Amino acid sequence: MPRMKADTRRKIRVTLNGRTMSGYAEPRLLLSDFLRHELGATGTHVGCEHGVCGACTVRLDGDAVRSCLTLAVQADGRKIDTVEGLAGEDGALSVLQKAFRRNHALQCGFCTPGILMSLEDYLSRHPKPSERELREMLSGHLCRCTGYSTIVRAAVEAAKQLESGQHDV
Ligand code: FES
Ligand code: FES
């Protein structure tokens, strides 16, 4: 009689964009795959799957992390924020999202969720970044469409608005 394979999955509980959710993960399952396939949060994109492109960036307890370099089990009991949580309950876009829209800072949009989550974290810690600092921070993300200038423009604009408390532009 064939031996049954042991079920090594673990239950993982997270607070995803303010909501308590749970799912099952094998010990080696990546957080990016857990979010997308187990919790259905497909806003987080997966590009290189080895930490280079930044498309999979989410915030784990407030820190921007590459979800393709994080195991789902490492997120157990923690708070995760993804691009789906940026807009308000009423669907109103965040300051950063509006700046991206105004400045045409995306084309295919594949890299955008990760860039937004990195910028959300960065701007919460660096309220007055220079353009050079923003360029340096954005160098951790790969975008194949925009040439980056519109992304930089949107980031500079959002930083100024957030700094001045102008949230409804
Ligand atoms: S998919 Fe994670 S860094 Fe590229
Ligand atoms: S908008 Fe297409 S990869 Fe960045």
Side-chain angles (χ1 to χ4, degrees):
M1 204 169 111
R3 294 234 324 254
M4 293 284 285
K5 216 173 142 198
D7 186 357
T8 53
R9 293 179 311 155
R10 266 184 52 179
K11 187 166 187 177
I12 309 290
R13 290 181 189 79
V14 295
T15 304
L16 178 62
N17 299 320
R19 286 179 52 209
T20 306
M21 296 186 83
S22 62
Y24 288 87
E26 294 284 350
R28 67 179 188 172
L29 186 74
L30 300 175
L31 179 58
S32 47
D33 289 334
F34 179 72
L35 288 170
R36 290 177 55 83
H37 305 306
E38 189 70 9
L39 301 187
T42 54
T44 299
H45 292 167
V46 174
C48 66
E49 286 197 279
H50 58 268
V52 175
C53 73
C56 66
T57 305
V58 301
R59 292 178 79 181
L60 187 59
D61 289 339
D63 297 329
V65 299
R66 306 289 213 223
S67 61
C68 75
L69 296 183
T70 308
L71 295 171
V73 290
Q74 292 176 283
D76 191 21
R78 299 173 73 182
K79 177 175 169 296
I80 304 173
D81 292 295
T82 64
V83 70
E84 286 97 338
L86 289 184
E89 288 283 310
D90 57 357
L93 298 182
S94 70
V95 170
L96 202 49
Q97 286 174 308
K98 283 186 199 162
F100 266 60
R101 184 173 67 181
R102 248 192 327 274
N103 289 282
H104 308 289
L106 58 147
Q107 287 179 33
C108 77
F110 194 84
C111 66
T112 314
I115 293 180
L116 290 173
M117 298 319 290
S118 278
L119 278 169
E120 285 281 333
D121 177 19
Y122 185 82
L123 293 177
S124 71
R125 296 166 206 267
H126 303 86
K128 274 188 175 181
S130 63
E131 181 174 326
R132 191 173 162 190
E133 287 169 326
L134 282 168
R135 282 181 182 275
E136 198 172 318
M137 179 258 133
L138 288 165
S139 69
H141 288 268
L142 299 182
C143 174
R144 299 186 70 163
C145 301
T146 66
Y148 299 95
S149 56
T150 53
I151 295 176
V152 172
R153 206 185 307 142
V156 168
E157 193 178 286
K160 282 190 187 141
Q161 282 166 7
L162 289 167
E163 216 275 312
S164 67
Q166 227 186 317
H167 287 195
D168 291 323
V169 186

